[in-house]
Amino acid sequence: KLHAVPGIYNWKFEDLHVKGAEKLARIAREEDVKHFVQLSSVAAQDGAKSRWAETKNRGDKAVTEQFPGAVIVKSNVIYGEEDRLLNWYARMMRNLPAIPLVEGGQGKIRPVYVGDVAQALGVIVTNWVTAGKTFQLNGEHTYTYKEVAEFVAEQVHKPIKFVDIPAQYAKYVGMAFEKLPNPILTDDIFDLLQEDQLGVSGGAEGFEALNIKPADFEQKGYNFLYKYRTGGHFNDPRSERVGEHL
């Protein structure tokens, strides 16, 4: 996709998610690779409104056609120390007087910690018994995007206002932003924010089958969001509790 800045070009979802994944799976089969793991998303489902999710779904199917024993790992929205979820909200709260929420931020997700996803992939990659299976990696609790934003605001000690943006207007905002290099918002992101990502479709196994207990979302978020507070870690209530025992 061309941008307003000359020389900037992004590959299309079709090229990356479908054709690229299919090509990798085909080459792996032709080269007699024994184990192939495709990292995908729980949003990649039939009927997905988002082009990102819809092409991810077709890419998963293309992989299994080219490499029948491939493992499909569908992760929920990933969070962590350098994520684009909690940090994304925190940075907006630092720079904006209000946080935009598409359709009130009612889309639901089950955020999963990046370390848990990495551990799960390590088990899957080294265990051929997983061949041909589909895994869904979900956090233990369900949150709306508004609840995630409220959690971040509480952790960074930032009183914030929320602005509800109807979907039809959000799309135009996203279309304008996506012309910029490395856009933080696009019309497709707004479509994705409106879809529930609960990972409840049947037939897939989860963390339990891998003997992994997902991390607590709020505890993990608490551990690194303090850096956005005025005073950083010096404004961390935990340091006061530690001082009481010194």
Side-chain angles (χ1 to χ4, degrees):
K1 180 175 290 186
L2 291 173
H3 288 286
V5 179
I8 299 295
Y9 184 86
N10 275 357
W11 294 103
K12 296 178 180 178
F13 291 145
E14 180 80 19
D15 295 330
L16 291 175
H17 297 165
V18 184
K19 295 179 181 178
E22 182 179 32
K23 185 174 182 179
L24 286 174
R26 175 178 56 79
I27 294 174
R29 174 176 51 81
E30 291 173 349
E31 294 298 323
D32 199 29
V33 171
K34 302 303 181 184
H35 202 40
F36 190 98
V37 180
Q38 161 91 343
L39 179 58
S40 185
S41 167
V42 296
Q45 303 290 341
D46 293 336
K49 182 179 179 181
S50 159
R51 296 190 305 277
W52 181 89
E54 187 271 332
T55 52
K56 276 279 191 182
N57 184 47
R58 286 196 285 120
D60 294 346
K61 294 179 180 179
V63 165
T64 56
E65 289 176 1
Q66 291 293 336
F67 200 110
V71 184
I72 307 298
V73 181
K74 292 177 177 285
S75 170
N76 216 294
V77 179
I78 298 175
Y79 71 93
E81 287 77 359
E82 298 181 5
D83 68 16
R84 295 186 180 183
L85 177 65
L86 301 183
N87 286 287
W88 184 65
Y89 279 119
R91 292 186 185 113
M92 284 199 295
M93 290 175 187
R94 174 184 285 175
N95 299 309
L96 299 177
I99 301 300
L101 294 174
V102 183
E103 294 295 332
Q106 294 307 303
K108 298 181 179 68
I109 58 175
R110 295 173 63 185
V112 59
Y113 182 56
V114 61
D116 294 333
V117 175
Q119 184 180 358
L121 289 172
V123 174
I124 292 169
V125 166
T126 57
N127 189 346
W128 288 12
V129 177
T130 61
K133 293 184 178 181
T134 297
F135 290 87
Q136 289 187 351
L137 306 181
N138 301 295
E140 290 189 318
H141 302 293
T142 300
Y143 298 85
T144 64
Y145 281 105
K146 183 177 182 180
E147 289 172 336
V148 172
E150 289 173 336
F151 167 72
V152 174
E154 179 182 357
Q155 298 308 311
V156 302
H157 297 176
K158 177 78 172 180
I160 196 72
K161 295 180 179 179
F162 298 101
V163 178
D164 182 17
I165 301 181
Q168 62 267 33
Y169 298 124
K171 193 169 187 69
Y172 291 116
V173 173
M175 290 173 65
F177 267 95
E178 70 180 20
K179 299 302 180 183
L180 300 173
N182 193 28
I184 60 172
L185 292 172
T186 67
D187 66 321
D188 197 69
I189 287 177
F190 283 129
D191 285 338
L192 190 62
L193 290 174
Q194 297 174 63
E195 297 190 30
D196 292 340
Q197 299 184 48
L198 301 179
V200 294
S201 59
E205 299 184 23
F207 280 117
E208 303 83 6
L210 303 171
N211 294 316
I212 298 173
K213 180 175 175 56
D216 181 82
F217 170 73
E218 296 185 17
Q219 179 60 51
K220 282 292 185 181
Y222 179 95
N223 287 343
F224 63 84
L225 283 173
Y226 69 81
K227 65 186 177 184
Y228 291 99
R229 300 172 184 166
T230 302
H233 67 276
F234 293 106
N235 196 13
D236 184 354
R238 294 176 302 173
S239 61
E240 298 177 6
R241 293 197 297 270
V242 170
E244 294 174 357
H245 299 284
L246 296 179

